[in-house]
Amino acid sequence: MKQVHTSSDSPSDPAGLRYDPRVREVMTAFTQGGDTLALEAAAATRAAHHAVERLRSHGSEGRGLSSGALDVLIRLSATPDGMSIGELARAGDVTSRNITGLVDTLERDSLARRAPDPQDRRAVRVHITDAGRAWLDSFRHPTQHAMSAVFHGFTPDELAQLRHLCLRLVDNQRRIEQYLAPGGQ
């Protein structure tokens, strides 16, 4: 993938850190001149998420799968005994109903299959098929190439720090949800 630089590259502040002047202007108006740093960080996080998802979706949808179905397929590829719908939902932090639809799609495309759970006759487990493994094999290299391009110029330490900071956001959000839940503390 060729390296592309446009005039829309973000400028840097005096400390050498990138920012979006349009977001800063809007957030300054919103806060009536107050501190905008957390709001700018939230906007940058959202923009980064969308950038990665657009690239990821472009690659998977061009091959007939949504990014959600791709996530399920990747999880199934790492579990030789398959996973239940509930396990997949918890792993992906989505509803069982959502997972059921994604598994329906994967099953329709012969990339996954449901099978009775040998431990619980009332339950089913979802397994990746050989066709699902082949699909992932064909998708692996283009995905690695695309992620290398989108994270071009990042050092391993920066990538680890980015991962760390993003997961801190997720942890904070989960704490807030627990606090706001009925009976939460």
Side-chain angles (χ1 to χ4, degrees), residues 60 63-65 70 73 111 130-139:
S60 63
R63 290 173 166 78
L65 285 186
L70 174 60
L73 199 59
L111 302 176
D130 289 341
R133 288 190 194 288
W135 191 99
L136 281 178
D137 286 345
S138 73
F139 185 69

Side-chain angles (χ1 to χ4, degrees), residues 11-180:
S12 296
D13 65 15
L17 300 173
R18 291 178 185 234
Y19 73 100
D20 185 330
R22 297 165 302 175
V23 169
R24 182 167 289 171
E25 180 182 342
V26 169
M27 294 306 165
T28 299
F30 175 72
T31 62
Q32 298 178 335
D35 183 23
T36 64
L37 191 55
L39 295 170
E40 287 184 62
T45 302
R46 188 171 47 254
H49 164 76
H50 288 301
V52 169
E53 281 302 305
R54 274 193 306 274
L55 187 59
R56 191 169 172 237
S57 292
H58 177 72
S60 63
E61 287 173 0
R63 290 173 166 78
L65 285 186
S66 69
S67 60
L70 174 60
D71 285 342
V72 170
L73 199 59
I74 289 169
R75 289 182 198 289
L76 291 174
S77 73
T79 56
D81 295 330
M83 296 177 77
S84 72
I85 297 291
E87 290 168 336
L88 285 165
R90 283 186 296 280
D93 202 20
V94 296
T95 66
S96 293
R97 184 176 183 180
N98 183 294
I99 292 295
T100 298
L102 295 172
V103 169
D104 288 345
T105 298
L106 292 170
E107 227 177 5
R108 181 196 69 221
D109 294 343
S110 301
L111 302 176
R113 66 177 170 75
R114 289 178 173 95
D117 185 329
Q119 308 300 320
D120 182 352
R121 291 183 4 210
R122 299 165 295 165
V124 297
R125 298 199 62 81
V126 182
H127 301 266
I128 190 169
T129 62
D130 289 341
R133 288 190 194 288
W135 191 99
L136 281 178
D137 286 345
S138 73
F139 185 69
R140 185 172 292 109
H141 181 72
T143 299
Q144 290 169 325
H145 187 70
M147 289 301 116
S148 291
V150 81
F151 290 108
H152 174 77
F154 284 65
T155 67
D157 287 343
E158 288 171 329
L159 288 173
Q161 185 68 9
L162 178 61
R163 180 192 63 212
H164 170 76
L165 294 171
C166 288
L167 291 174
R168 280 182 56 194
L169 287 173
V170 170
D171 291 344
N172 286 347
Q173 180 268 333
R174 287 181 179 150
R175 274 193 287 283
I176 291 166
E177 277 187 353
Q178 288 174 345
Y179 178 78
L180 294 176

